[in-house]
Amino acid sequence: MPNQIGKLYVVATPIGNLSDLSYRAVDILQSVDMIAAEDTRHVRHLLQHYGISNKLTPLHQHNEKHASPLLIEKMQQGLSIALVSDAGTPLISDPGLPLIKLAKAAEITVSPIPGACALIAAISASGLPVSQFMFEGFLPRTSSARKTFFQNKLDCPYTWVVYESSHRILATIKDITEILPGERTIVIARELTKLYETIVNTTVDQALELFERDKNMQRGEFVILVAGTEPTQNKNDISPEQEKLLTVLLKECSIKSAVAMAVEITGARKKTLYQAALKLSESQ
Ligand code: SAM
C-alpha cells in the first residue's frame, strides 16, 4: 500500500510580539515532519520560545525554485511540511509561491494556519474605509518609479496600502508629498505589535514635517495606508477655463512648461495643475 500523501501547512508567525502565535500554529509546528523557513536562524528563536524542536530546512527567494520540487517529493513520500516566513503570513510580500503552485499541481493539500499579518493589522486599526482596499506590497526602489506609482494612484477610489522599510521611509514620504494632494489622509502604522508601536493618522501635507521633526519615526518597519479619492474630489479640481488653458499649452509644450505657465497665468496651485496636466496629457 502506498504511503499516504503529506500535507503542506502555510503557517503565519508573529510580526513582532512573540505571543501572537496561535495555539494551532504551535501544534502544527510541533507535529509536522519538517519546517521550511525563510531564515532558519530566525525561526529557531521563535521555536525556542515555545519549546518546539523540529527539523528546519531553508526556503527563501534565492533557493525556492530549486528547493520546492525537493519538498514536493518529501510530501509525496508522506511527510507533512509547515511553511513559515520571517514574520507574518507567508506569501504576503514573502517567498513561497513556487512551492504552493507545485503542491497544487501535485494534488497535495495546502492548508493555511492564519495569524499575524502587518497589512491586516494595519488596516484593522487605521480608521480608513477598508471594506474594499488595494494592497501593493513594496514600492519601487527609485524615486522616479515611486512618483509614477503615486501618480497612477491619484484617482484610486479605495484605500491603498504599501509596505516600507526604514531605509526608504523618508524618501518615500517626500515623494508622496510631491505627488498626492496635501489634504489626502494618510496613516502610518509603525512597529506594529512591538514596544514602539505607533499609528499616526495625518494628512499628506503634515506627514513630512512629522517625520523630519521626530527622527524616531524613521525607525522600524512600516505600513503606509492612503485614503482613496473622494468622489467629489476627482477631476473637477480645476475650473473649465484652467482646463482649457492647460489643454492649449500642452499642445505646444512639455507638461512642466505648461504647468509653469498656467501657474503664472491663473495663480492656481502648482500641484493641482500638475495633476490635471497629467490627466489631460494621458487622455490627449
Ligand atoms: N509576510 C509579512 C506580513 O504578513 O505582513 C510581511 C513580510 S514583508 C517582507 C516585511 C514588511 O512588512 C516590512 O518591511 C514592513 O513594511 C511590513 N511589516 C512587517 N512587520 C511589521 C510590523 N511589525 N509593523 C509594521 N510593518 C511591518
Side-chain angles (χ1 to χ4, degrees), residues 39-60:
D39 180 340
T40 52
R41 278 171 311 175
H42 191 92
V43 79
R44 206 162 269 136
H45 177 60
L46 177 71
L47 297 184
Q48 266 167 10
H49 183 82
Y50 282 92
I52 301 170
S53 63
N54 206 334
K55 200 172 159 204
L56 293 169
T57 186
L59 190 89
H60 44 72

Side-chain angles (χ1 to χ4, degrees), residues 1-278:
M1 201 164 122
N3 279 340
Q4 220 185 342
I5 202 163
K7 248 180 152 185
L8 175 61
Y9 295 95
V10 185
V11 182
T13 58
I15 55 169
N17 189 321
L18 288 184
S19 301
D20 288 337
L21 188 70
S22 74
Y23 286 121
R24 197 162 152 241
V26 172
D27 199 30
I28 295 289
L29 292 175
Q30 229 155 18
S31 59
V32 287
D33 297 289
M34 64 165 64
I35 300 170
E38 188 180 4
D39 180 340
T40 52
R41 278 171 311 175
H42 191 92
V43 79
R44 206 162 269 136
H45 177 60
L46 177 71
L47 297 184
Q48 266 167 10
H49 183 82
Y50 282 92
I52 301 170
S53 63
N54 206 334
K55 200 172 159 204
L56 293 169
T57 186
L59 190 89
H60 44 72
Q61 58 167 337
H62 304 296
N63 80 342
E64 61 181 338
K65 284 219 169 80
H66 166 74
S68 297
L70 305 175
L71 295 178
I72 295 294
E73 271 175 35
K74 291 193 186 306
M75 287 184 277
Q76 284 170 328
Q77 288 159 8
L79 301 189
S80 282
I81 295 178
L83 170 69
V84 299
S85 61
D86 283 355
T89 302
L91 279 97
I92 306 299
S93 298
D94 268 340
L97 186 59
L99 180 64
I100 310 278
K101 279 168 112 174
L102 287 175
K104 301 252 170 194
E107 297 187 1
I108 292 166
T109 305
V110 180
S111 185
I113 309 296
C117 175
L119 160 70
I120 300 299
I123 68 165
S124 71
S126 70
L128 295 177
V130 289
S131 52
Q132 288 175 297
F133 67 89
M134 216 169 233
F135 175 55
E136 299 279 3
F138 282 104
L139 288 166
R141 282 165 180 259
T142 64
S143 175
S144 65
R146 277 197 300 269
K147 284 182 190 167
T148 305
F149 173 92
F150 297 138
Q151 271 152 14
N152 290 332
K153 280 274 162 283
L154 278 170
D155 287 337
C156 178
Y158 315 119
T159 293
W160 51 272
V161 189
V162 294
Y163 280 166
E164 192 52 281
S165 71
S166 56
H167 309 298
R168 278 188 291 272
I169 187 70
L170 193 57
T172 290
I173 297 293
K174 280 184 181 155
D175 292 341
I176 285 179
T177 311
E178 278 185 38
I179 305 296
L180 294 174
E183 65 282 4
R184 187 76 66 87
T185 303
I186 180 169
V187 179
I188 321 274
R190 169 181 167 260
E191 293 291 83
L192 293 169
T193 78
K194 303 185 201 175
L195 184 61
Y196 295 108
E197 176 180 278
T198 318
I199 302 178
V200 184
N201 287 51
T202 184
T203 58
V204 164
D205 264 350
Q206 284 169 7
L208 185 58
E209 193 205 318
L210 174 82
F211 272 81
E212 286 179 336
R213 196 178 55 223
D214 182 359
K215 298 278 180 267
N216 284 328
M217 268 304 285
Q218 298 173 25
R219 301 206 173 101
E221 300 189 280
F222 301 85
V223 184
I224 303 173
L225 307 96
V226 180
T229 317
E230 301 276 338
T232 50
Q233 211 179 312
N234 227 345
K235 296 199 171 136
N236 305 324
D237 281 344
I238 59 168
S239 68
E241 292 75 23
Q242 289 168 342
E243 183 173 329
K244 200 165 162 192
L245 174 67
L246 268 180
T247 309
V248 173
L249 289 170
L250 282 168
K251 283 192 185 134
E252 302 301 325
C253 47
S254 68
I255 294 184
K256 199 172 164 201
S257 311
V259 171
M261 283 191 260
V263 170
E264 195 72 30
I265 296 166
T266 65
R269 283 181 74 215
K270 187 176 168 193
K271 203 191 265 183
T272 309
L273 289 172
Y274 184 70
Q275 282 155 11
L278 277 176

